Amino acid sequence: MPKMLLAKLVKKEKLKEDIFKFSVEAPKIVNTSKQGNFIEIRVSENIEPFLRRPISIYNLDKEKGILEFIFQVKGKGTEILSKKEEGDLIDIIGPLGYGTFDYENYQNIAVIGGGIGVFPLYELSKNAKKDGKNVNIYLGFRNKNFVLLEEEFKAVSNKFILTTDDGTYSEKGFAIDFLKKDVEEGKIDAIYACGPLPMLKAVRSFAIEKDIPCQISLEERMGCGLGACLGCAVKTANSPKDAPEYMHVCKAGPVFEAKEVEI
Ligand SMILES: Cc1cc2nc3c(=O)[nH]c(=O)nc-3n(C[C@H](O)[C@H](O)[C@H](O)COP(=O)(O)OP(=O)(O)OC[C@H]3O[C@@H](n4cnc5c(N)ncnc54)[C@H](O)[C@@H]3O)c2cc1C
Ligand code: FES
């Protein structure tokens, strides 16, 4: 059951001009959270902005009861959140999300992410590495200035590839091309992805074509977060054209089997 609580902000870090990492004390949420879950944050006690903002869980420290999340300032909600200071209390509901990243049945896993979509992939990679899996990580960024969390992901990987679209840092090109090569060589049993929609679409099509188990986290789609609107509807794959069926990302996701959904 998700918990609603006021979590104390114990550490605030600025990773980039507009990207912040918050560590909050939330043992009741930490204890029941899994990789791929998210939280919803009420950023202000005022009427506006009324809706909670969904943010992925980046890292869980189960011993200390600390939950970490990272966010980019996009609009009013995240702007207000970015102004919180250490010692402040943050109104959080979590853990949320029905679908979680499941790697138990696979030994050689590929974790692929792009841009600010890499955040929910860290807890997954960390746990999989700890459980003795062979963790291959492929992260793609637009250019050198957008690169994030390189050392953190490297530390929880067996193989680590970082790409920039323009080659201003590390490998030039798209992360998926490096993943494809490893899949073609039979080195990967399952794929886990989160990132911009074009990347997710490409990963999904490739996984289906190669018949490789693949889970994707659909973070770009959400409205109320409560199951009450259609803001997060995603089409169920292979549903009839004249009577399409939909699932709610906030209730059934955000992590889905790639072949379950049409994106
Ligand atoms: C399940 C889930 C997990 C998420 N995890 C993270 C995370 O870990 N870190 C993070 O930085 N962001 C994450 N997001 C996106 C984050 O929720 C939005 O950026 C945030 O709600 C924007 O709120 P705002 O009030 O600042 O901006 P708004 O004023 O609501 O919107 C400002 C701009 O941001 C765009 N925007 C709003 N929501 C999203 C979205 N979901 N994806 C892309 N663009 C959006 C709007 O189209 C608009 O252009 C996640 C979203 C979902 C659905
Ligand atoms: S966000 Fe409103 S139903 Fe899911």
Side-chain angles (χ1 to χ4, degrees), residues 53-56 70-72 74-75 77-78 119 219-220 222:
R53 295 320 197 235
I55 298 289
S56 305
I70 303 179
F71 64 96
Q72 182 177 43
K74 284 261 182 160
T78 43
F119 304 145
E219 295 206 329
E220 298 219 7
M222 200 148 313

Side-chain angles (χ1 to χ4, degrees), residues 10 47-48 63 75 123 126 181 198 218:
V10 289
I47 295 195
E48 270 292 310
E63 270 175 28
E123 180 67 15
K126 184 187 83 180
K181 191 165 167 284
L218 298 179

Side-chain angles (χ1 to χ4, degrees), residues 221-233 248-251:
R221 297 160 184 266
M222 200 148 313
C224 69
L226 302 167
C229 72
L230 279 178
C232 70
H248 287 117
V249 173
C250 66
K251 289 193 121 181

